[in-house]
Amino acid sequence: LFSNFIVRIIRTRLKKEVGEMRIGCPGFRPCLVVLQVKLNRCDSNLYISMKLKAAAEIGICANHIRLPKTATEEEVLRGILAVNEDSAVHGLIVQLPLDSIHRINIQRVTQCIAPEKDVDGLNSVNAGKLARGDLTGCFIPCTPSGCMELIAQTGVNIAGKNAVVIGRSKIVGAPMHDLLLWNHATVTTCHTMTPDLPAQVIKADILVACAGKAELVKGEWLKKGAVVIDCGINHIPDRSRPSGARVVGDVDFPSALTRAAFITPVPGGVGPMTVAMLMENTVKSAKKFLKAFQPGKWPIVYTKINRQHPQPSDGEISQSCAVKPISSLSSEVGLLSSEVEAYGKSRGKVQLDVLKRTEALPNGKYVVVTGITPTLMGEGKTTTALGLAQALGAHLNMNAFACLRQPTHCNTVNVTGGGYSQIIPMEEDRLNLLVASEIMAVLSLSSSLEDLQQRLSKIIVAQPQSREPVTVKDLGVAGMLNMILKDAIKPCLMQTVEGTPVFLHTNPLCDIAHGNSSILSDKIALKLVGPDGFVVTEAGWGADIGLEKFFNIKCRSSGLQPDVVVMVVTVRGLKMHGRVPSTQIANMPLQRGTLQNLQLLEVGCSHLRKQIENSRAYGLPVVLAVNTFSSDTGAELDMVCQQARLAGALDAVCCTHWSDGGAGAVALGMAVQSAAETPHSFNFLYSLEIPVQEKITVIAQKMYGAKDVVLSTKAMEKVTLFTGQGLGNLPVCIAKTPLSLSQDPEVMGIPRDFILSVEDILANAGAGFLCPLVHSVSLMCVFDTFLG
């Protein structure tokens, strides 16, 4: 009766606490999962029913996972792993014994349970904390915890008392010893092999019997006035019972009554307390979850960078940075272990199934980083994209993902960032696939394996004189190609030097393709970051080429609408567009004030204004990011920012992410956050319904500033051919030099009154666009330049 009274008090308190949690966090409910193998075991079923009933009374959601007796150890472990990764579950118990026809390692099973959900206290992490005396930092096994509660309710002061524990199991005996010890009792642990057991028991002020031997302890063994806690559950024959047996404890109850000051009955003593403590641990776990829980926020741990002066090389920085295990990173961003295939310790391929699991979730904010027409010294778009992602994540506490193109082994420069805004490890971020092929463009624009196969089947491999194209489908190899690419279609997960997640995936050339990372990486990242998070991706080359193709080709295929455009610029790059020869810039020492020439810079800013105009043509807010160098002066930086605002940029900020990591791009991150909240309406540059030649003209005049477009006879024949084949409604992907707004790579700044000459047009029917080749550009020279 005393035990039942205490249980009722505990349950009433827990019910109140659960109610308060649900009021404070609407929709929240503590959840307990019970996993059982074999369904026809009467004792296990009875215990489980007691637990489920108690949970329902308190307001805890309790789920019962039933595995058949044929379940293997691996199936049990998979079941546990799934519960571990379910953020809606706060407690998990595995009902022992696991009566499978297969041999199951119980130790391996209990070790698999996540320590933070191990409400039975059986994981070695919790057991180790208990053994060290960390009673508040662990889950205490339920039966010992219940025993301690019963002892406390008797009013007996444990400190200084002699305590004897009969039993040494990891479930009851061993943790009971530790609990009594850390509550300052003098503890003796005995078992069935202990010689002269009565002599040990007679010394006990407190006796806990958990040996599993029916009526082992006799009344005459007990010290007069002892507190006796009987944890035994044993069945002995009894013909008077319908079942032919009755349940007794480890203590002979009738004889013990004459000597003990307090004794728990069996059944009805420790058993209900064990269930009550299980509920207590589950509520405790739920409270811990709520305390750390921020709606929509990842539980991610960022890496603090150790900046060095002078700054080491990119390779030295990469090698000096600690890399989080890919299993930890994937878990932090909400990926399940079954959704990530580890490639070593620092990379992982993400399964496309994650899109099905997250289908109903809202997308995050979508940011695309572009730049001015690139100069030979580089503007730092990739570094800026990574610095921005680091700033949003590690410094502004937002969920942030970067999605970039994957470099190839034939690249001679590092194209995955630099300084303290780069992807690590640097040497593990490259791919081997032939990037100049239509297959890469197809892979990048596909949204599923099915879509990939459909696109592959449409690739035109020959155009005979009969004018009927021969496709991959006609050759019957689409399925084979799909199988070859079944792993390549999965985005590669890596991280920055600050531990920010990055997807590296695909690398279609920007000259002859759209030059953006994959649609799949963007879609997965947008689901993972949640509605308040940010995905930062990059468009190749300048806004006139890469950004135009990002919007009119990639966004048309993906159905995604970006929220913000970030324009990257450097002072030295604008000076080159102000007609300074590249060799003069390259040979000048990078000391403060050396390159200052405000008139020259002002001329170069005309190019910046044009590229901002190009970016704004799609209805989105534009934020300027000035990638600064030590040679830049305050007057120069002020001029660039002022010119950007006059051109219509919503904001303009200076960044030092190369030398300072995410901390150097915090102002940019704040500007992007603000821009994402401004009203905007995304629109395409042209309609797919207009003729092919008109699409080319719209791009050339609005993006490049061309006076007109001239198509060769061959190109005009291709327009007629492709229109007749039903390809006229595809977007166009103009292949021209990326080094100038015009078709002449030597002309910088703002070219005037030039004519864009289109020599030929290719049909990339699989990728889903037509590719006009501008005069002086050929597939072979582009490919040779790339390899060189």
Side-chain angles (χ1 to χ4, degrees):
L1 291 176
F2 181 65
S3 173
N4 291 337
F5 175 72
I6 298 173
V7 167
R8 285 197 297 271
I9 292 176
I10 294 172
R11 288 188 180 182
T12 300
R13 173 175 55 81
L14 293 177
K15 184 175 182 179
K16 181 182 179 182
E17 292 177 4
V18 169
E20 290 172 350
M21 280 191 284
R22 299 186 68 180
I23 292 173
C25 185
F28 177 81
R29 191 178 180 189
C31 181
L32 171 69
V33 168
V34 181
L35 187 146
Q36 178 190 20
V37 175
K38 191 176 181 181
L39 309 182
N40 58 352
R41 189 181 177 101
C42 296
D43 53 352
S44 290
N45 290 340
L46 176 61
Y47 300 149
I48 290 173
S49 66
M50 291 171 58
K51 295 167 184 174
L52 298 180
K53 182 179 178 181
E57 179 186 327
I58 293 170
I60 296 173
C61 174
N63 297 326
H64 186 190
I65 297 178
R66 302 173 176 89
L67 298 180
K69 64 180 181 180
T70 56
T72 64
E73 182 176 308
E74 292 304 317
E75 289 173 332
V76 173
L77 295 177
R78 283 198 297 269
I80 293 173
L81 193 59
V83 176
N84 285 345
E85 296 178 335
D86 188 346
S87 60
V89 177
H90 311 104
L92 167 63
I93 62 172
V94 176
Q95 185 65 44
L96 301 177
L98 294 172
D99 287 337
S100 172
I101 62 174
H102 303 286
R103 185 175 181 178
I104 296 181
N105 186 329
I106 302 300
Q107 179 70 10
R108 189 180 178 204
V109 168
T110 56
Q111 289 302 98
C112 183
I113 302 173
E116 66 274 12
K117 297 186 180 184
D118 177 33
V119 289
D120 243 353
L122 300 182
N123 186 282
S124 62
V125 172
N126 286 312
K129 288 182 177 181
L130 175 58
R132 295 195 306 269
D134 185 8
L135 304 186
T136 60
C138 69
F139 286 116
I140 299 171
C142 300
T143 298
S145 181
C147 293
M148 292 298 293
E149 184 69 23
L150 287 171
I151 295 170
Q153 292 298 330
T154 65
V156 172
N157 184 8
I158 298 176
K161 296 295 190 295
N162 288 323
V164 173
V165 178
I166 305 177
R168 52 185 173 178
S169 73
K170 295 179 181 180
I171 299 176
V172 182
M176 194 70 235
H177 172 279
D178 294 336
L179 280 172
L180 289 166
L181 181 67
W182 294 117
N183 279 274
H184 313 297
T186 301
V187 188
T188 301
T189 298
C190 301
H191 42 81
T192 54
M193 300 300 292
T194 299
D196 198 6
L197 186 58
Q200 298 294 335
V201 174
I202 197 67
K203 302 175 185 177
D205 300 306
I206 301 170
L207 174 68
V208 180
C210 48
K213 296 291 184 179
E215 300 178 329
L216 170 67
V217 178
K218 309 304 178 183
E220 57 268 24
W221 295 9
L222 300 177
K223 183 178 183 180
K224 191 71 173 179
V227 172
V228 180
I229 306 297
D230 191 350
C231 302
I233 299 178
N234 310 284
H235 295 81
I236 63 174
D238 188 340
R239 294 182 179 179
S240 66
R241 302 294 177 93
S243 63
R246 62 187 174 93
V247 177
V248 298
D250 286 2
V251 179
D252 179 39
F253 189 78
S255 63
L257 278 175
T258 63
R259 298 183 63 84
F262 177 90
I263 183 171
T264 56
V266 178
V270 174
M273 284 299 299
T274 298
V275 175
M277 292 300 102
L278 174 62
M279 300 302 115
E280 178 93 62
N281 282 350
T282 302
V283 172
K284 176 183 176 182
S285 176
K287 284 182 177 179
K288 284 186 176 180
F289 174 82
L290 273 184
K291 187 176 181 180
F293 175 69
Q294 290 180 287
K297 297 293 184 183
W298 291 336
I300 188 169
V301 178
Y302 291 103
T303 305
K304 291 185 179 180
I305 59 175
N306 181 23
R307 294 168 52 207
Q308 300 179 42
H309 299 284
Q311 185 160 321
S313 68
D314 291 351
E316 290 172 325
I317 291 175
S318 174
Q319 292 174 4
S320 68
C321 290
V323 183
K324 286 189 288 189
I326 197 65
S327 58
S328 299
L329 178 64
S330 59
S331 176
E332 289 175 338
V333 301
L335 289 165
L336 305 181
S337 58
S338 59
E339 294 169 339
V340 181
E341 300 172 7
Y343 280 70
K345 295 181 179 180
S346 57
R347 292 180 296 167
K349 281 282 192 177
V350 177
Q351 301 275 5
L352 305 189
D353 290 346
V354 66
L355 281 174
K356 296 179 182 178
R357 178 174 65 83
T358 60
E359 185 177 10
L361 300 179
N363 286 341
K365 303 294 192 302
Y366 197 21
V367 181
V368 57
V369 177
T370 186
I372 61 172
T373 295
T375 62
L376 295 179
M377 301 188 72
E379 316 312 312
K381 282 202 318 294
T382 303
T383 306
T384 302
L386 293 171
L388 173 58
Q390 290 178 169
L392 289 167
H395 301 273
L396 294 175
N397 196 30
M398 309 293 293
N399 294 350
F401 227 114
C403 294
L404 302 179
R405 289 183 295 168
Q406 193 164 1
T408 66
H409 282 289
C410 46
N411 280 120
T412 57
V413 295
N414 180 24
V415 294
T416 50
Y420 291 104
S421 293
Q422 63 170 300
I423 297 171
I424 57 173
M426 176 194 292
E427 64 275 9
E428 294 186 12
D429 57 11
R430 302 177 185 244
L431 53 77
N432 293 306
L433 196 60
L434 177 50
V435 295
S437 71
E438 185 181 354
I439 291 178
M440 177 59 81
V442 166
L443 189 68
S444 178
L445 293 172
S446 298
S447 57
S448 65
L449 274 171
E450 294 76 19
D451 185 33
L452 174 64
Q453 183 161 350
Q454 291 176 9
R455 288 176 177 271
L456 289 172
S457 67
K458 295 177 182 178
I459 293 178
I460 297 174
V461 295
Q463 183 74 56
Q465 293 181 350
S466 65
R467 304 177 74 85
E468 287 298 325
V470 178
T471 66
V472 166
K473 181 179 180 181
D474 296 328
L475 299 181
V477 295
M480 184 183 300
L481 283 176
N482 204 48
M483 288 297 296
I484 293 173
L485 298 174
K486 65 180 178 64
D487 289 324
I489 197 174
K490 303 169 187 173
C492 180
L493 177 64
M494 293 187 72
Q495 62 193 279
T496 69
V497 294
E498 294 190 41
T500 307
V502 181
F503 274 143
L504 283 177
H505 198 212
T506 72
N507 189 358
L509 292 181
C510 195
D511 313 72
I512 57 173
H514 56 291
N516 309 126
S517 59
S518 74
I519 284 174
L520 280 169
S521 63
D522 290 0
K523 283 191 169 183
I524 293 174
L526 283 166
K527 293 297 184 183
L528 293 176
V529 298
D532 297 323
F534 285 82
V535 171
V536 181
T537 191
E538 176 192 358
W541 300 122
D544 57 310
I545 297 181
L547 190 65
E548 180 271 312
K549 294 177 180 180
F550 174 85
F551 287 137
N552 293 306
I553 296 176
K554 182 177 178 179
C555 289
R556 273 195 163 103
S557 294
S558 69
L560 299 173
Q561 295 190 2
D563 297 284
V564 182
V565 175
V566 173
M567 169 71 66
V568 180
V569 68
T570 60
V571 168
R572 65 186 189 183
L574 288 178
K575 287 179 179 178
M576 293 182 71
H577 281 286
R579 301 302 196 276
V580 172
S582 59
T583 54
Q584 181 180 341
I585 291 283
N587 293 331
M588 285 184 175
L590 294 180
Q591 297 176 357
R592 185 172 179 82
T594 302
L595 303 180
Q596 182 172 6
N597 186 320
L598 294 181
Q599 291 181 339
L600 189 66
L601 181 61
E602 187 173 12
V603 174
C605 282
S606 63
H607 179 84
L608 171 62
R609 293 194 296 271
K610 171 58 180 172
Q611 292 290 36
I612 291 177
E613 175 189 325
N614 287 347
S615 303
R616 294 185 64 210
Y618 303 92
L620 300 179
V622 178
V623 175
L624 183 77
V626 186
N627 187 12
T628 63
F629 292 82
S630 59
S631 58
D632 301 336
T633 67
E636 291 171 336
L637 296 173
D638 289 344
M639 172 177 282
V640 173
C641 291
Q642 182 184 21
Q643 290 292 317
R645 293 188 180 98
L646 290 174
L650 188 66
D651 203 351
V653 296
C654 298
C655 308
T656 59
H657 43 275
W658 180 80
S659 58
D660 298 323
V666 168
L668 176 60
M670 295 173 67
V672 167
Q673 282 182 274
S674 178
E677 300 301 325
T678 60
H680 54 270
S681 179
F682 174 69
N683 55 265
F684 295 112
L685 189 64
Y686 55 82
S687 166
L688 293 180
E689 306 302 319
I690 65 175
V692 174
Q693 187 172 356
E694 188 175 343
K695 294 173 189 172
I696 299 172
T697 302
V698 168
I699 296 173
Q701 292 181 339
K702 292 189 176 181
M703 293 290 105
Y704 313 153
K707 181 178 180 180
D708 203 355
V709 175
V710 174
L711 272 66
S712 69
T713 301
K714 183 179 182 180
M716 288 299 297
E717 290 175 350
K718 290 291 187 69
V719 169
T720 303
L721 172 64
F722 297 147
T723 301
Q725 292 175 346
L727 304 178
N729 287 341
L730 295 179
V732 295
C733 182
I734 300 178
K736 80 169 189 71
T737 177
L739 302 179
S740 172
L741 289 173
S742 72
Q743 63 191 35
D744 185 349
E746 298 298 322
V747 179
M748 304 189 73
I750 304 290
R752 305 289 182 184
D753 298 327
F754 67 92
I755 306 296
L756 193 75
S757 302
V758 177
E759 295 295 306
D760 196 2
I761 300 178
L762 304 179
N764 290 326
F769 54 74
L770 299 179
C771 186
L773 300 181
V774 173
H775 176 69
S776 78
V777 172
S778 70
L779 293 182
M780 187 57 67
C781 80
V782 169
F783 189 52
D784 287 345
T785 300
F786 180 79
L787 290 179

